[in-house]
Amino acid sequence: MAMKTEILTLLRESGDYISGQELCNRFGVSRTAVWKVMKQLKEEGYIIEAVQNKGYRMTENPDVFSTSELKSRIRNRWAGRELYFYGETGSTNTDAKRLGEEGASHGTVVAADMQTAGRGRRGRTWESPAGRDIYFTILLRPEFAPDKAAGLTLVMALAVALAVEDKCGVEAGIKWPNDVVVNGKKICGILTEMTVETDYIQHVVTGVGINVNMDSIPEEIRESATSLFLESGKKTARAELLQAVLERFEEYYGKYAADLGMDSMLEEYNAHLVNRNRQVRVLDPKGEWEGVAKGINASGELLVENSAGRTVEVYAGEVSVRGLYGYV
Ligand code: BTN
């Protein structure tokens, strides 16, 4: 770990003063070198107090989204162990795909403060302004068959919902299969893309956009979208939330890969499913129809009861659903 990253971890974890001398000894560098790192950290937005005879102390948890901040927080076995952070990029999904072609490891994460060509589902664009939201993609090299890949979106949605509840203190729901919602409005979208070689998965990239600290929502999407700040009234440190998402994703991915399905998280998922017992319109390219969503099965399919009372399994890879009365 680079010295800056390590100092950041020490300051955060101690929560108290750390003497300059202690840091010098630990890293075998001069006082000036330590002072320079502190200066850099302050320039990046950290609030660091320096008190004579006591040392340095970090007093707040500001929303710094950077390589060092992320590296000083990510503690997972594989999710985010390899990490790329960009102040600005086209699309983290595109970056992750390229890294996948170049042989990057399972769990590699690409995160950005801003995207100039953020992509949403169905060819839509994903507005990705700087300084307030999370845009990231995780590269996965699953050993299972391509037809199981759609479930990864569900696993990610659950990881985001649980992390948001833990870090932001609001209730989060899942709108099957790709969105996380708070108070009936979207705060997160997920775009999973897969590269297949005849019948095995080369790699999968799962891209996630979370509306974190935006303080106003563009008029056109105000009905259906919101941010964590608007719903909780509090700013969230993006790096902390991202680590929380990755931690849960690592755990739940493990379960998914072991069972080749959602078996062990079915209850938790269905408890978060906002479509449950609601009227939905199934946007099947072969013909749209309406029914009542009942929950998902272990394959991640949405069980929808049609007007004849029959339960139909709707596969996430092909169709999406829309609420009959509003967005959910
Ligand atoms: C959707 O709801 O339409 C999916 C949106 C996915 C957006 C994320 S932001 C990070 C990653 N990079 C992209 O270009 N898209 C995904």
Side-chain angles (χ1 to χ4, degrees):
M1 222 191 262
M3 177 163 82
K4 186 160 112 189
T5 308
E6 226 171 303
I7 289 186
L8 204 48
T9 312
L10 289 170
L11 286 171
R12 185 184 307 114
E13 283 174 3
S14 117
D16 200 354
Y17 290 98
I18 302 183
S19 85
Q21 192 57 49
E22 197 180 314
L23 294 171
C24 297
N25 297 344
R26 186 175 181 123
F27 297 103
V29 297
S30 69
R31 286 214 164 224
T32 323
V34 169
W35 178 83
K36 273 191 185 150
V37 171
M38 297 299 170
K39 184 163 171 277
Q40 267 180 26
L41 290 173
K42 282 192 235 174
E43 279 163 8
E44 285 170 24
Y46 297 97
I47 314 292
I48 294 167
E49 248 176 35
V51 174
Q52 224 165 28
N53 299 324
K54 281 192 177 171
Y56 298 99
R57 185 172 71 151
M58 193 154 84
T59 55
E60 269 174 51
N61 186 19
D63 179 30
V64 179
F65 206 37
S66 67
T67 308
S68 329
E69 176 69 15
L70 287 166
K71 288 201 167 160
S72 74
R73 284 189 181 273
I74 294 175
R75 293 288 152 75
N76 308 320
R77 270 193 308 121
W78 53 264
R81 277 297 284 259
E82 202 178 328
L83 176 98
Y84 296 84
F85 174 82
Y86 302 116
E88 179 182 327
T89 190
S91 154
T92 55
N93 265 33
T94 309
D95 295 331
K97 269 193 223 169
R98 192 197 62 240
L99 288 161
E101 299 300 323
E102 292 168 5
S105 59
H106 174 70
T108 296
V109 165
V110 183
D113 184 50
M114 173 186 170
Q115 295 182 121
T116 52
R119 291 187 281 117
R121 289 182 308 125
R122 301 169 184 279
R124 287 190 284 246
T125 58
W126 186 260
E127 288 301 322
S128 312
R132 48 188 215 196
D133 297 325
I134 293 178
Y135 319 108
F136 84 94
T137 302
I138 186 163
L139 169 73
L140 301 164
R141 298 189 179 281
E143 279 165 14
F144 44 74
D147 66 337
K148 299 273 180 242
L152 295 172
T153 299
L154 280 70
V155 175
M156 182 58 86
L158 184 56
V160 172
L162 295 174
V164 161
E165 290 186 334
D166 186 26
K167 295 294 170 191
C168 309
V170 289
E171 245 182 78
I174 300 168
K175 179 178 175 287
W176 183 91
N178 299 278
D179 298 349
V180 179
V181 304
V182 172
N183 297 329
K185 293 181 178 182
K186 177 165 172 171
I187 54 118
C188 165
I190 302 171
L191 177 66
T192 293
E193 298 175 287
M194 169 167 60
T195 307
V196 186
E197 183 85 29
T198 41
D199 53 6
Y200 73 92
I201 300 177
Q202 270 261 327
H203 51 78
V204 175
V205 300
T206 295
V208 183
I210 310 178
N211 301 338
V212 184
N213 291 324
M214 44 156 73
D215 51 14
S216 80
I217 302 290
E219 181 89 53
E220 319 85 75
I221 54 170
R222 208 166 286 166
E223 283 279 283
S224 59
T226 186
S227 76
L228 291 168
F229 173 67
L230 290 173
E231 299 308 313
S232 70
K234 285 182 305 215
K235 295 268 165 143
T236 298
R238 285 173 288 169
E240 186 178 351
L241 180 58
L242 178 49
Q243 159 57 10
V245 171
L246 292 174
E247 194 178 315
R248 282 158 189 78
F249 183 75
E250 180 172 289
E251 184 190 341
Y252 285 79
Y253 178 95
K255 299 186 192 189
Y256 185 81
D259 300 337
L260 285 181
M262 304 289 289
D263 312 67
S264 65
M265 46 194 132
L266 210 50
E267 246 175 76
E268 210 172 11
Y269 186 96
N270 281 330
H272 284 87
L273 185 67
V274 291
N275 316 88
R276 203 171 195 184
N277 296 323
R278 287 195 190 231
Q279 283 273 351
V280 292
R281 186 168 181 79
V282 178
L283 308 177
D284 189 329
K286 291 190 223 92
E288 299 186 4
W289 54 280
E290 281 165 21
V292 178
K294 290 296 178 188
I296 62 159
N297 62 16
S299 310
E301 294 158 336
L302 187 67
L303 305 172
V304 182
E305 198 178 288
N306 68 14
S307 52
R310 198 171 76 84
T311 301
V312 181
E313 296 159 348
V314 179
Y315 177 63
E318 289 156 12
V319 294
S320 64
V321 296
R322 199 171 67 206
L324 240 47
Y325 312 104
Y327 157 74
V328 170

